[in-house]
Amino acid sequence: MADVSFQDVTKEFPGATVAVDRLTLDVPDGEFMILVGPSGCGKTTALRLVAGLETATSGAITIAGKNVTHLSPRDRDIAMVFQNYALYPHMTVYKNLAFGLRQRRTGRAEIERRVTEVSAMLGLDELLARRPAQLSGGQRQRVAMGRALVREPKAFLLDEPLSNLDAKLRVQMRAELKRLHQQMDITTIYVTHDQVEAMTLGDRLAVMRAGKLQQVGTPQDVYERPTNVFVAHFIGSPPMNLLKATVAAGRAQAGDLSIELPHVPEGPCIIGIRPDSLSLAQGEDAPAALDFDIEVIEPLGGELLAHGFVNGHLASPDTSDEMPLLAGASESRAEITAKLDGRLRLKAGARVRLAVRPGEVYAFDAATGDALR
Amino acid sequence: MESGALIRADRPLDLEAVPERRPRRWPFSPWHFFLIPLALMMLMPLVWSVVTSLETSSEAQRFPPVLIPSALHFSNYVDAWNSLPFAHFFLNSFLYSLATVAGNLLFCSLAAYAFARLRFIGSNLLFVLLLVTLMVPFQVVLIPTFLIVRNLGLIDSVGGLIVPNLCGVFGIFLLRQFFQSLPVELEEAARIDGASRLGVFFKIVLPLSAPVLATLAIIQFMWSWNDFLWPLIIITTPEHSPLQLGLSMFQGTHVTQWNLLMAGTVMSQIPMLAVFLLAQRWFIQSIAYTGIKQ
């Protein structure tokens, strides 16, 4: 039980790679904090810095107010779950669970009590005599969780713990993780690149990019009020549509879309529209509407995703190397995605008119990418 | 060469099971046309030595060799055992082999772990320098080693046999390569769980390295057991001789008692065979033991 904090932490690797760049972040006691970002953004390195598996080049890391920057992992009293679980292959599940306690010279009866308690909580009773090789992926995952829980550490570090599970199991374990955290109330830092995990699990999110912290906030806050175009594009699935626009006289013009943006300074900017802020326009002269040529439709049941083109220029979040999905994206045509009512009977190749829900347009500085409000 | 024969020996079992599932034209693979003559060639010296050890002295010296003796003279074994201090030879050989095996397992694994996992200035250079010494033939370092052992006062003692062979570069190399293939997360998990560096080494790394440790143990045992040159240099009394050196005492300047020499040789090979049979499962497993960790 403790808070974890980064104070101006930098980690450079040999060869002048800056994995974590002046990170300052406070994780209060009992919080479930998600570190999220594209691969190579430094989120795993940040976690390993807390664990003591890497040493910060500069800055300080504190756990429960104690500076642990130069302490070895064993002296930090934290537990970590690895992406590949890292269960000891030569030990039974029981011994895997007990290993950390035995290293800390816990009494035999106490070990027995805690292992029994944790294995009951995670449904591992039947598996205690087995070895990791005899377990399924989900069971291994549970043992890895158990090994961390049994220690009753100050903080819990999880490095993409669900990424090796199949989709169904992942949903199940996600719920279980949330339940466990509510039950145990241990400070948790969770690294993921998965949108859904980031949105559903965390009390707060910390979005990272190229070693730098972009934004910290509750999932809803980050989703609704992204500080810059990168965060706006990264959080939310499918990602926000970004178009180049020009603002004049309180109106932004992007292709044939014209919308009122009274607070945005004149000149070029980027406007962002989430796919679910788009709907079919009612009537020909609906305000803030644009023509949309449907290329591909992905029905999801209650909703459908329509990918297609509008007039205008696509803006880049300057983040990922994602290429436009569809061929034929030319200079004056921009590919966007709309999330529409699944009951609509739309056909690929059709042209429809989309309306933008008022007040759900984001604007970003064309040069810096910062949000304009 | 024994390994080839032993692996082959498992085959007939396989072949009995196979034809039921997928019929074959021959109950053997075409490779056997090549492998069986090769195996016979390998076995020949072994068979010859066993046969010679059961012949009379005159049969053993005849040419062309007598491959079917007139009678089986098992008494050769008793005569050989009684004519030289064989009990001493065996004891010395066991001491020499077991001590160097233990030394290599401990020291090589510690050094190899350092080279595999610890980052220190010059670690790669040091490792390359160690590897370079593999290319220096023993004859070149024989005299310096002799001088060191003499300064230690270990000439003509089993200790003098053991000390220079407690840690070998080959063992360090073999184990380092294996340690590097172990998932580093296991060690990180153990460190987070509270184990020290040495704790990680003894509780995680070594138990997972059993196959390669067994391999090193067998190789080192064979090497020490069969070592002749080094004992020849530093041992002067029969009571301190290991087997291979002791056996050479059957070879006189003018007469060699071939039947007794072969009887002694056969006896000296029995422990080697036993070690190999006991450990072959590990030995073969370690060769086929890559990338199946988790």
Side-chain angles (χ1 to χ4, degrees):
Chain A
M1 290 290 189
D3 58 303
V4 175
S5 98
F6 295 83
Q7 283 137 30
D8 210 19
V9 172
T10 296
K11 173 66 187 176
E12 277 177 53
F13 284 112
T17 326
V18 183
V20 174
D21 195 358
R22 310 197 59 176
L23 175 66
T24 297
L25 178 66
D26 283 308
V27 186
D29 189 12
E31 185 173 70
F32 201 126
M33 168 63 85
I34 308 267
L35 295 184
V36 66
S39 51
C41 72
K43 55 193 192 296
T44 295
T45 305
L47 194 75
R48 291 171 60 87
L49 284 166
V50 180
L53 297 172
E54 307 285 353
T55 309
T57 313
S58 66
I61 294 170
T62 61
I63 298 174
K66 183 180 166 196
N67 188 334
V68 299
T69 317
H70 298 287
L71 286 187
S72 70
R74 60 196 294 221
D75 299 323
R76 297 187 181 203
D77 197 15
I78 39 84
M80 183 158 167
V81 176
F82 291 81
Q83 189 172 1
N84 63 1
Y85 316 138
L87 301 179
Y88 311 125
H90 57 300
M91 298 184 193
T92 60
V93 169
Y94 184 93
K95 285 188 176 160
N96 262 284
L97 294 176
F99 184 80
L101 296 174
R102 290 183 53 182
Q103 292 308 304
R104 281 156 213 277
R105 313 239 178 279
T106 313
R108 188 178 287 269
E110 174 71 2
I111 291 179
E112 175 96 38
R113 187 187 68 74
R114 287 214 229 164
V115 170
T116 315
E117 188 184 306
V118 165
S119 62
M121 188 159 68
L122 293 169
L124 295 170
D125 305 311
E126 312 280 299
L127 308 174
L128 288 176
R130 294 209 203 158
R131 295 195 180 207
Q134 298 164 289
L135 302 177
S136 71
Q139 290 167 336
R140 286 181 203 185
Q141 163 66 45
R142 249 187 270 266
V143 176
M145 292 292 305
R147 190 172 64 181
L149 284 172
V150 85
R151 290 242 322 271
E152 299 174 7
K154 287 206 186 96
F156 224 15
L157 311 176
L158 299 104
D159 185 9
E160 308 209 13
L162 304 182
S163 60
N164 282 355
L165 299 177
D166 64 53
K168 197 175 166 192
L169 216 52
R170 200 176 309 163
V171 175
Q172 202 180 320
M173 282 308 294
R174 206 166 65 206
E176 196 157 339
L177 268 176
K178 192 153 191 171
R179 181 180 62 82
L180 277 175
H181 180 255
Q182 281 164 1
Q183 207 172 321
M184 314 275 296
D185 213 28
I186 295 180
T187 313
T188 303
I189 305 180
Y190 186 106
V191 162
T192 184
H193 63 262
D194 184 294
Q195 280 289 330
V196 187
E197 285 171 27
M199 294 299 286
T200 55
L201 278 173
D203 295 326
R204 286 198 302 158
L205 298 184
V207 185
M208 291 184 70
R209 170 199 181 192
K212 289 196 175 73
L213 184 64
Q214 304 290 305
Q215 186 172 6
V216 189
T218 64
Q220 208 56 35
D221 193 34
V222 173
Y223 183 81
E224 285 170 3
R225 280 177 294 280
T227 52
N228 60 34
V229 68
F230 168 79
V231 174
H233 189 257
F234 189 80
I235 298 295
S237 173
M240 182 184 274
N241 299 304
L242 298 173
L243 295 171
K244 286 180 185 163
T246 317
V247 180
R251 290 191 78 79
Q253 189 75 34
D256 37 69
L257 175 69
S258 171
I259 35 180
E260 214 169 301
L261 286 175
H263 307 298
V264 176
E266 307 229 326
C269 79
I270 297 171
I271 59 166
I273 305 163
R274 294 210 182 269
D276 38 359
S277 299
L278 292 164
S279 58
L280 282 193
Q282 309 294 326
E284 273 304 295
D285 50 355
L290 70 174
D291 284 332
F292 178 60
D293 291 319
I294 302 173
E295 289 272 337
V296 174
I297 291 180
E298 293 180 278
L300 300 174
E303 296 157 327
L304 63 82
L305 292 181
H307 304 278
F309 290 93
V310 295
N311 283 328
H313 297 269
L314 206 60
S316 155
D318 189 26
T319 58
S320 51
D321 40 18
E322 283 169 52
M323 297 299 290
L325 181 68
L326 303 175
S330 64
E331 273 297 293
S332 59
R333 303 284 279 163
E335 190 210 332
I336 67 165
T337 302
K339 198 185 240 178
L340 303 172
D341 191 333
R343 284 162 296 190
L344 291 170
R345 292 290 168 260
L346 296 175
K347 287 239 160 24
R351 169 173 287 200
V352 294
R353 201 160 166 77
L354 293 180
V356 183
R357 232 164 269 142
E360 293 188 15
V361 177
Y362 298 85
F364 305 97
D365 189 291
T368 63
D370 290 340
L372 303 168
R373 291 200 182 109
Chain B
M1 63 183 87
E2 284 100 330
S3 75
L6 288 167
I7 297 169
R8 289 290 121 203
D10 292 334
R11 271 299 161 89
L13 290 172
D14 260 48
L15 290 170
E16 278 168 20
V18 165
E20 293 177 13
R21 280 176 283 142
R22 47 191 170 121
R24 271 196 203 171
R25 260 182 296 169
W26 295 312
F28 50 81
S29 138
W31 276 103
H32 285 80
F33 285 113
F34 171 70
L35 292 171
I36 289 170
L38 202 69
L40 287 177
M41 222 166 83
M42 298 286 190
L43 272 172
M44 199 51 221
L46 206 67
V47 171
W48 194 359
S49 63
V50 172
V51 167
T52 307
S53 75
L54 296 168
E55 288 176 342
T56 62
S57 184
S58 64
E59 274 176 325
Q61 313 224 352
R62 216 169 292 162
F63 192 86
V66 181
L67 285 179
I68 301 163
S70 55
L72 299 180
H73 298 274
F74 287 103
S75 58
N76 286 345
Y77 284 83
V78 180
D79 293 346
W81 183 274
N82 289 332
S83 58
L84 289 172
F86 257 92
H88 278 290
F89 296 168
F90 267 100
L91 184 69
N92 293 333
S93 269
F94 268 116
L95 276 176
Y96 179 26
S97 301
L98 294 179
T100 52
V101 165
N104 269 269
L105 289 182
L106 180 68
F107 298 126
C108 291
S109 63
L110 282 166
Y113 185 66
F115 280 121
R117 287 287 189 255
L118 304 184
R119 270 173 261 161
F120 54 94
I121 295 168
S123 64
N124 282 330
L125 181 70
L126 198 58
F127 186 63
V128 168
L129 284 177
L130 268 182
L131 287 188
V132 165
T133 66
L134 275 179
M135 284 187 263
V136 180
F138 178 62
Q139 285 78 355
V140 174
V141 294
L142 185 62
I143 290 166
T145 313
F146 178 84
L147 294 176
I148 293 169
V149 169
R150 194 187 58 181
N151 287 340
L152 292 172
L154 291 172
I155 293 298
D156 195 25
S157 71
V158 180
L161 291 175
I162 293 168
V163 169
N165 291 306
L166 277 176
C167 184
V169 175
F170 171 74
I172 296 175
F173 175 69
L174 181 75
L175 296 180
R176 182 189 101 122
Q177 298 311 101
F178 187 86
F179 291 162
Q180 280 187 331
S181 74
L182 290 175
V184 72
E185 289 89 351
L186 289 179
E187 296 171 38
E188 292 178 341
R191 281 170 64 201
I192 289 175
D193 265 347
S196 61
R197 271 281 185 194
L198 274 181
V200 170
F201 176 71
F202 284 110
K203 287 171 188 145
I204 307 294
V205 175
L206 283 192
L208 291 174
S209 306
V212 73
L213 293 175
T215 305
L216 179 62
I218 294 170
I219 291 172
Q220 183 59 42
F221 190 92
M222 275 204 284
W223 193 89
S224 298
W225 191 264
N226 290 331
D227 189 19
F228 179 74
L229 183 56
W230 181 240
L232 178 68
I233 301 299
I234 68 155
I235 302 292
T236 48
T237 52
E239 282 70 30
H240 297 143
S241 283
L243 266 168
Q244 308 307 329
L245 184 62
L247 284 173
S248 70
M249 292 174 193
F250 283 115
Q251 285 185 293
T253 321
H254 306 292
V255 192
T256 298
Q257 289 173 290
W258 286 106
N259 52 345
L260 297 190
L261 175 58
M262 286 304 137
T265 306
V266 170
M267 284 193 282
S268 80
Q269 289 309 309
I270 290 171
M272 278 301 318
L273 273 174
V275 165
F276 206 91
L277 284 172
L278 284 175
Q280 63 150 324
R281 193 171 60 88
W282 291 105
F283 198 56
I284 292 162
Q285 192 186 342
S286 78
I287 294 165
Y289 200 81
T290 39
I292 49 162
K293 273 274 113 66
Q294 282 226 329

